[in-house]
Every structure is written in C-alpha cells, then in structure tokens.
Amino acid sequence: DQQVKQNSPSLSVQEGRISILNCDYTNSMFDYFLWYKKYPAEGPTFLISISSIKDKNEDGRFTVFLNKSAKHLSLHIVPSQPGDSAVYFCAASNPLYNDMRFGAGTRLTVKP
Amino acid sequence: SAVISQKPSRDICQRGTSLTIQCQVDSQVTMMFWYRQQPGQSLTLIATANQGSEATYESGFVIDKFPISRPNLTFSTLTVSNMSPEDSSIYLCSVTTGTEYTGELFFGEGSRLTVL
C-alpha cells in the first residue's frame, strides 16, 4: 500500500519563481517528515525535515509546511534556480516501528 | 555525515543468474538499509542489515531471494538471486548515523541492474 503519495510526477517552473511540491500521507502514526533531492546517477540526499509537533520549518530557500489535519506536507523553494532541477522525494517515518516510507518522487525542472 | 560507495554502479544480467552488490561506508554506522527503486516507483525498503545477525526483511521480501550480509559496521552486501526482468531496478544502500531510524538517511549512488 502506498502510504506516502506524490501525485505530481513532474513540475516545471521558471527561474526565480516559487516551486511548490506536494505530498500526502495516510498513516497518522508518522511523526517525522523529510524531503530528499536526487540528481541523475546519484543517491538521494537529505534536504529538509519537519517534526509533527511543528507546522513549518525553514532553511534558506527551502521551507516545508505540515498540515497534520489534512495529512499533507509541501516543500516550497523560493526563488527557484536551475540547479534545483532534480527529483524530489517526500518521506515519512515512524521511529517507534522503525518505519520510513517514500513517495514516488516529483521531477522538478527549473527553466532559465 | 557518511560517504557510501556502492559496487557495481550498473550491470546487465541474464535471467536466472545472481548478482552481489557491495556497500562500503567511510565510518562505522549503527544502521544500514537496502532499498529498491523500480522504474517510476518510490523507494521501497527491502531490509535492515544487522551486524552479526540475520537481516530484518520487510513484507514481500525474503532471505532466499535477497540474502544480505553485514560482517562489520562499515560493510554490507545484497545479493539478488535467480534474477528475472522484474528485478530490474536501482538498488540503494543507505545508513543512518544516529541510533534510531528517525529520518536523515545517507544514500549510496545506487546500483542500476537490468535483467534481460
């Protein structure tokens, strides 16, 4: 079963604009959420995370928002840069059960 | 952080054969994991590699098909046995430097297997 869903397989934005990547989850036991970025021929790299006790976490151009009631999180990239072009994976974890689930990824293309 | 090296980076294999993927970490880590990413799919956890004991497999994955070794805190292998075209995937080794599987994972570059 797919407990973490990224419904948009791809997203294209103009350089300098905002990129918004969305993620939904179904398991209310998840209490830690992460975003990973993956370039071709490389492994995913950790980008930003948020605990379920927060609704926002910001790190430079990257901000993650969590809406627990809607079981939804989003990643905002402002301003978007061509180097941000990559596949972004959403992940949710439940440390109590040693469980982490990934979404299928969204391919972001930032056009110059 | 941790630097993870995987070998091979890619391979083309014949149906019915087996291939072993190696994962080497530049430091001792507590937890090592093996993931699979099938084309267009999410990263799926195959198993947790336990040092000195049998790996812990996720639902849908069995030891006979994916035997795993972890002889020490810096090295692990995953074997994909009796391969079929459905096993064509990227296989990723990952580690966490903490003591819990809470989140930040470090990944190797992946091993892309194509089974003909």
Side-chain angles (χ1 to χ4, degrees):
Chain A
D1 65 343
Q2 206 169 352
Q3 298 187 35
V4 178
K5 296 180 182 180
Q6 294 176 256
N7 291 320
S8 298
S10 63
L11 174 68
S12 180
V13 301
Q14 206 66 35
E15 181 179 7
R17 306 294 292 269
I18 184 171
S19 297
I20 300 177
L21 296 95
N22 293 303
C23 177
D24 298 291
Y25 62 96
T26 58
N27 189 342
S28 59
M29 297 298 290
F30 290 136
D31 64 356
Y32 199 67
F33 305 89
L34 310 95
W35 285 92
Y36 287 82
K37 181 167 71 173
K38 185 182 185 300
Y39 292 117
E42 295 183 11
T45 55
F46 170 74
L47 185 60
I48 192 170
S49 64
I50 188 168
S51 164
S52 61
I53 63 174
K54 296 184 177 181
D55 55 18
K56 176 182 176 181
N57 187 27
E58 190 172 352
D59 183 2
R61 297 186 297 114
F62 303 91
T63 303
V64 56
F65 295 92
L66 175 63
N67 183 335
K68 284 188 64 178
S69 61
K71 294 190 177 67
H72 178 85
L73 66 156
S74 61
L75 174 68
H76 293 209
I77 306 174
V78 182
S80 301
Q81 299 173 353
D84 296 329
S85 298
V87 176
Y88 290 79
F89 290 97
C90 168
S93 76
N94 179 354
L96 186 63
Y97 297 104
N98 236 23
D99 190 17
M100 180 180 289
R101 305 282 172 161
F102 284 82
T106 297
R107 181 177 300 278
L108 173 66
T109 303
V110 181
K111 298 180 179 179
Chain B
S1 66
V3 177
I4 304 168
S5 300
Q6 278 187 239
K7 294 181 182 179
S9 58
R10 59 176 61 232
D11 207 341
I12 299 174
C13 308
Q14 296 298 319
R15 181 195 299 260
T17 62
S18 299
L19 182 78
T20 296
I21 303 167
Q22 298 181 359
C23 176
Q24 179 72 55
V25 190
D26 69 339
S27 59
Q28 293 186 345
V29 294
T30 50
M31 303 186 78
M32 296 181 75
F33 310 94
W34 286 98
Y35 281 85
R36 179 175 75 180
Q37 185 187 11
Q38 294 177 303
Q41 303 296 315
S42 62
L43 297 164
T44 303
L45 180 64
I46 297 171
T48 302
N50 301 310
Q51 194 260 332
S53 64
E54 193 172 286
T56 304
Y57 289 85
E58 297 300 306
S59 175
F61 297 96
V62 295
I63 188 171
D64 289 345
K65 176 68 176 176
F66 298 102
I68 288 171
S69 78
R70 190 178 174 191
N72 55 52
L73 294 177
T74 64
F75 185 79
S76 177
T77 66
L78 168 74
T79 299
V80 186
S81 303
N82 189 24
M83 286 185 283
S84 66
E86 291 72 33
D87 295 319
S88 297
S89 292
I90 299 173
Y91 293 85
L92 294 141
C93 171
S94 73
V95 307
T96 177
T97 56
T99 56
E100 291 182 327
Y101 187 36
T102 54
E104 185 177 347
L105 297 176
F106 299 93
F107 285 87
E109 66 271 27
S111 300
R112 182 184 293 273
L113 300 189
T114 302
V115 185
L116 303 178

